[in-house]
Amino acid sequence: MKIIKKVLEIIFPNHCLSCEKIINRDGVFCEKCWSKLQFISEPKCQICSYPFEFQGLNLLCGKCLTKKPSFDKLITIFRYNHIIRKIVTSFKFRDQTFLAKKFAPLLFNKSRDEIMDCDFVISVPLHLKKLQQRKFNHSVLLAKTLLKLAPKKVFYSDFLIKTKNTKAQIELKKRDREKNLRSSFEVNKKYLTLLRGKKILLIDDVTTTGTTLESCAKILKKHGAKKVVALTIAKTAFTNS
Ligand SMILES: [Zn+2]
Ligand SMILES: [Zn+2]
């Protein structure tokens, strides 16, 4: 088996996602790029993952203590830096299936308990116009690939509907983000009766301040969802104001 593995490595070398350097078959990044990644780990806010310098008595950050978000928890792997930006951008232009396969095990390891605990999985929707431009929704692909690792879980790609074609959140100033998304998500009518008392895992590729996830979670809770856990590859903004 070892010989077959070696031969495969020569014929189909595995490249670092960021710099293209050849790495071993099961790896995702080379050592150099790995050392530049900023993983989000403890100590952090138990709801929004805002990183703390020290583990104090508070389990929540000031922002979540002042106004609890509609989602119960945000699980995210990386801080969005130049390496993650490069990869997530190429997620849109390169072999997307390949990249989803690379991210799925990382997401699975980080959220195993929440995946097993949820009643079903959904993804952040794109407006129909944006979907036509981009050809596919990255979050749907990510969710489908992730659920190959938890095949018993049900995934609904059309659970939420984006009713307004809003500007990309990343282009907007903080105060305009909430306004931009206000009432722009709806629950697909055919699933309304499914929501009461349910625990939902909500998947998006990248989150900025969490405003999109907040809008989605808010509408899910409004229709009776008991728990909403959001899962993303990276988070861009870590301001806590
Ligand atoms: Zn590298
Ligand atoms: Zn927080």
Side-chain angles (χ1 to χ4, degrees):
M1 280 306 278
K2 263 189 179 169
I3 297 169
I4 297 172
K5 212 172 156 186
K6 276 273 167 225
V7 173
L8 280 173
E9 273 180 26
I10 293 165
I11 306 173
F12 304 108
N14 185 26
H15 297 269
C16 166
L17 269 190
S18 174
C19 71
E20 307 278 329
K21 188 178 160 183
I22 294 177
I23 54 171
N24 75 43
R25 188 142 195 86
D26 309 315
V28 181
F29 296 99
C30 72
E31 270 180 46
K32 200 176 162 196
C33 294
W34 188 265
S35 71
K36 288 182 195 154
L37 293 168
Q38 294 168 289
F39 287 88
I40 294 172
S41 55
E42 300 286 349
K44 61 182 172 66
C45 169
Q46 297 304 296
I47 294 182
C48 74
S49 281
Y50 179 79
F52 297 148
E53 241 170 273
F54 308 103
Q55 184 69 68
L57 289 175
N58 276 346
L59 294 175
L60 304 184
C61 70
K63 196 176 162 189
C64 292
L65 276 173
T66 312
K67 188 175 185 278
K68 218 172 155 222
S70 298
F71 54 84
D72 297 82
K73 194 195 264 188
L74 163 64
I75 303 173
T76 188
I77 304 174
F78 304 107
R79 275 181 184 240
Y80 191 80
N81 63 10
H82 65 287
I83 295 181
I84 298 301
R85 184 177 60 232
K86 193 175 158 192
I87 298 161
V88 171
T89 308
S90 66
F91 192 26
K92 290 171 186 168
F93 303 107
R94 279 176 33 175
D95 176 358
Q96 299 88 356
T97 325
F98 158 78
L99 282 166
K101 271 187 199 155
K102 291 283 184 186
F103 285 128
L106 296 175
L107 287 168
F108 185 74
N109 286 338
K110 188 103 181 177
S111 61
R112 188 186 300 251
D113 292 348
E114 297 297 347
I115 293 177
M116 294 311 166
D117 186 50
C118 75
D119 290 299
F120 53 84
V121 180
I122 65 173
S123 52
V124 171
L126 285 177
H127 188 266
L128 197 61
K129 271 209 175 121
K130 222 162 251 166
L131 188 62
Q132 282 162 349
Q133 282 164 8
R134 292 196 194 166
K135 307 279 191 294
F136 74 102
N137 180 344
H138 305 95
S139 305
V140 169
L141 178 66
L142 208 53
K144 281 185 176 169
T145 315
L146 176 67
L147 288 198
K148 284 192 178 143
L149 301 169
K152 285 186 184 156
K153 289 289 161 181
V154 178
F155 169 59
Y156 300 106
S157 61
D158 58 347
F159 202 94
L160 290 173
I161 297 168
K162 184 99 185 274
T163 50
K164 275 198 276 180
N165 193 13
T166 50
K167 285 186 180 170
Q169 286 293 90
I170 210 158
E171 294 166 12
L172 298 172
K173 289 204 175 93
K174 189 179 169 280
R175 66 168 187 272
D176 295 324
R177 285 193 182 123
E178 214 176 313
K179 212 165 119 196
N180 184 41
L181 287 179
R182 208 168 286 154
S183 335
S184 69
F185 295 99
E186 282 297 332
V187 175
N188 190 334
K189 282 197 175 67
K190 66 178 174 180
Y191 298 120
L192 274 175
T193 52
L194 274 186
L195 265 172
R196 190 142 301 275
K198 292 299 191 314
K199 292 183 265 187
I200 299 163
L201 186 74
L202 170 67
I203 296 185
D204 202 359
D205 51 0
V206 173
T207 178
T208 47
T209 57
T211 317
T212 302
L213 300 171
E214 170 62 23
S215 304
C216 291
K218 201 172 181 177
I219 193 86
L220 292 165
K221 288 273 174 88
K222 188 182 148 194
H223 289 290
K226 182 180 165 195
K227 184 179 177 187
V228 179
V229 174
L231 177 62
T232 70
I233 299 168
K235 187 172 188 311
T236 62
F238 277 100
T239 53
N240 203 237
S241 55

